[in-house]
Amino acid sequence: MQVFRGFRHPGVAPACALTIGNFDGVHRGHQAMLALLQTEARQRGLPSCVLTFEPHPRDYFAALTKKPDLAPARIGTLRDKLSELAACGVAQTIVLPFDGRLASQSPEEFIQNVLVDGLGARYVLVGDDFRFGAKRAGDYAMLDAAGDARGFDVARMNSYEVHGLRVSSSAVREALAEGRMADAQTLLGRPYAISGHVVHGRKLGRALGASAPGKDDGFRTLNLRFKHWKPAASGIFAVLVHGLADKPLPGVANLGVRPSLDANDVNAGRVLLETHCLEWPSHLGSEGAYGKIVRVELLHKLHDELRYTSLEALTAGIAKDGRDARAFFASTHAQHHAEVHRQTTRDRI
């Protein structure tokens, strides 16, 4: 998949089948829309194209009005969104900076400047709640009429439901905020995950719980920055880590701002996903993970972030989280074997 910041690049396709949205989480509703887009694009002999925005429009207006509560919690980073769009077979994605100039465009200007002149849209697919242009004045009827006048097709996709539940980014955010990771997985069609480069931290964890003073074999952590100040999920989780070994590694992770650490933390003020692998790969040593790209699946929430009053209390807390994560994986393993046994028994009957 080709990715462009804005559409004024020579590599942008001169014509396309297009869908527009924030695609936060790329959930099952998004995936259904992208599958339809792919079908329509193939029938027309056009590349499929996603137009998305960074920052999220509501982030922009929250900053403009100094009302941070207006900003939605972010499900996924831009990296993860682009990765999931690529996995859905999208040919090109345009990341359009959402700024004052774009926010002030009338619906008619947006259609002409972005859809027609900028992207050469021949087919435009939108959701049933799509609004666009200054003050969100544009709607589906206006877009459809513009398509008739300017020669591009317009289609609308109705809400996507799973077991009677409307799949939406808001529903995913609610599930993650409440720690309902299984529900989030159902809505996303995959385990909720965060990926990124492993970055340096204070290297405090390796000293905590070490086998002896001066050793660094304690709670080594993989640090990933979540590049948004308001993640949809937070707390302590049982996780699986992909990208370090030939199999997923079980672990326990903290997603948040680490309330027990001081302001001298090298990542202070940033949202961080800190993951301790319960089975640290020996071939990595103490420094071998830095710079690697890993994907961490958050499978089960253990509890919210806690503030510990001392390093001793923090060490004990991490150790307990590790035991609880091991218990979760043992239980999951046992349930899997029980289900296999039940299925085998049914097959024999």
Side-chain angles (χ1 to χ4, degrees):
M1 183 181 75
Q2 292 182 294
V3 180
F4 300 95
R5 289 273 186 173
F7 48 77
R8 303 187 189 282
H9 299 279
V12 174
C16 68
L18 177 71
T19 189
I20 309 166
N22 293 298
F23 291 94
D24 191 17
V26 194
H27 54 61
R28 291 175 69 177
H30 294 143
Q31 292 162 30
M33 176 174 281
L34 294 169
L36 176 57
L37 179 71
Q38 293 289 89
T39 298
E40 296 291 340
R42 282 193 297 269
Q43 290 177 353
R44 290 167 169 79
L46 294 169
S48 57
C49 178
V50 167
L51 174 62
T52 190
F53 307 97
E54 190 67 31
H56 192 295
R58 284 165 59 192
D59 281 0
Y60 169 80
F61 288 112
L64 186 69
T65 59
K66 295 182 171 58
K67 296 179 179 178
D69 288 346
L70 293 178
R74 187 68 64 92
I75 298 169
T77 62
L78 180 59
R79 164 192 283 279
D80 287 329
K81 174 162 66 174
L82 294 175
S83 176
E84 293 301 331
L85 290 174
C88 289
V90 174
Q92 68 176 20
T93 292
I94 309 296
V95 182
L96 199 58
F98 195 91
D99 53 20
R101 181 178 178 183
L102 184 61
S104 65
Q105 283 191 358
S106 69
E108 294 82 2
E109 289 172 328
F110 180 82
I111 291 169
Q112 187 63 48
N113 296 340
V114 178
L115 304 189
V116 177
D117 295 341
L119 295 173
R122 299 289 182 265
Y123 170 85
V124 180
L125 175 65
V126 295
D128 56 3
D129 57 354
F130 179 68
R131 307 286 298 198
F132 65 101
K135 299 182 179 179
R136 293 170 52 84
D139 58 12
Y140 177 77
M142 180 184 292
L143 183 62
D144 192 38
D148 282 341
R150 292 175 171 84
F152 60 86
D153 296 330
V154 179
R156 174 171 54 187
M157 186 169 176
N158 293 328
S159 299
Y160 187 85
E161 295 186 355
V162 175
H163 303 308
L165 175 66
R166 182 178 184 270
V167 179
S168 67
S169 294
S170 295
V172 177
R173 292 185 189 106
E174 183 177 320
L176 292 176
E178 296 174 0
R180 294 185 284 109
M181 308 310 290
D183 290 344
Q185 179 170 338
T186 297
L187 295 166
L188 292 169
R190 63 185 185 278
Y192 176 62
I194 296 169
S195 69
H197 288 89
V198 179
V199 300
H200 289 270
R202 288 180 62 190
K203 300 180 174 59
L204 176 64
R206 63 180 65 182
L208 298 177
S211 59
K215 293 282 190 179
D216 64 355
D217 58 352
F219 304 117
R220 298 191 186 99
T221 59
L222 307 167
N223 302 323
L224 306 184
R225 288 179 184 146
F226 188 91
K227 295 185 178 179
H228 192 270
W229 61 276
K230 193 176 182 181
S234 65
I236 313 302
F237 300 85
V239 304
L240 283 178
V241 180
H242 299 258
L244 288 182
D246 56 3
K247 64 176 182 177
L249 301 174
V252 60
N254 183 108
L255 175 60
V257 293
R258 304 164 312 288
S260 296
L261 298 183
D262 60 44
N264 294 320
D265 179 8
V266 68
N267 290 296
R270 294 171 172 160
V271 177
L272 205 67
L273 177 65
E274 290 182 304
T275 302
H276 167 57
C277 291
L278 301 177
E279 303 167 7
W280 186 262
S282 59
H283 69 276
L284 291 175
S286 60
E287 306 293 327
Y290 293 117
K292 291 185 179 296
I293 296 176
V294 300
R295 187 177 88 256
V296 182
E297 294 178 350
L298 283 64
L299 303 182
H300 173 69
K301 184 169 181 176
L302 298 174
H303 58 80
D304 290 333
E305 277 195 292
L306 299 174
R307 181 180 293 278
Y308 295 101
T309 57
S310 67
L311 290 180
E312 290 76 13
L314 175 59
T315 301
I318 296 174
K320 182 180 185 304
D321 292 339
R323 291 193 298 272
D324 291 345
R326 291 181 190 277
F328 165 76
F329 286 114
S331 172
T332 302
H333 186 69
Q335 290 173 10
H336 172 72
H337 276 280
E339 179 58 34
V340 170
H341 177 72
R342 284 193 295 271
Q343 183 63 50
T344 302
T345 301
R346 283 195 296 268
D347 291 343
R348 288 173 178 169
I349 296 174

